[in-house]
Amino acid sequence: MSYALALEPIEDVAEEFRPLAESHYAEITERARRAGVEMAPFKPQIDRYIALNRAGQFLFYTVRYGGRPVAYSGMYLLPSMHTGLLIGREDTIYVEPEHRGRVGKALVRAILTDMQERGATQVLITPIGDSRLAKLWQRMGFRLIGQVMTYNF
């Protein structure tokens, strides 16, 4: 079997990819909890994702292995309010644990290629909670320019 990467309308695959999104959110929630941060319950705003996807402002990249979803990424593609230049901004990137080290780089490369072809001048990603991601993405050419911090009410 091989991996199949695609760009798919989120409204066509949202329910199929929901279990993966739930696993992803559970991992993020656990990392946050260990840092003393409580996360809100998982309640994705699918209707908003669909509207942005239809407008070309949210892209949903998928990876399947033997037809089964194993990875995905949601990316916003919007003009910067500061420069007007088109920027890709990560909403999510997730690979099932048993497929890590096999398909993540290919997914990120596909995203970068597509973003560049669409006219993006920059792509921003946030390696929340796992320092290995930052190292991987730095090896792929990303540059560390800051940190993510949170303040919960």
Side-chain angles (χ1 to χ4, degrees), residues 75-148:
M75 298 289 296
Y76 296 103
L77 184 61
L78 298 165
S80 165
M81 296 296 281
H82 302 286
T83 66
L85 298 174
L86 203 54
I87 295 177
R89 185 178 296 267
E90 170 225 0
D91 179 64
T92 56
I93 297 177
Y94 182 72
V95 177
E96 276 188 337
E98 57 270 19
H99 294 274
R100 292 176 186 165
R102 295 186 228 169
V103 73
K105 281 185 189 178
L107 174 58
V108 172
R109 283 189 189 111
I111 291 166
L112 293 174
T113 297
D114 187 55
M115 288 282 162
Q116 186 175 29
E117 288 172 358
R118 290 173 184 273
T121 59
Q122 185 178 50
V123 172
L124 305 172
I125 57 174
T126 310
I128 295 175
D130 191 337
S131 61
R132 294 174 298 171
L133 287 176
K135 291 175 185 171
L136 167 68
W137 290 337
Q138 283 177 322
R139 286 193 303 270
M140 293 181 73
F142 286 89
R143 299 291 172 249
L144 184 62
I145 60 170
Q147 298 177 354
V148 174

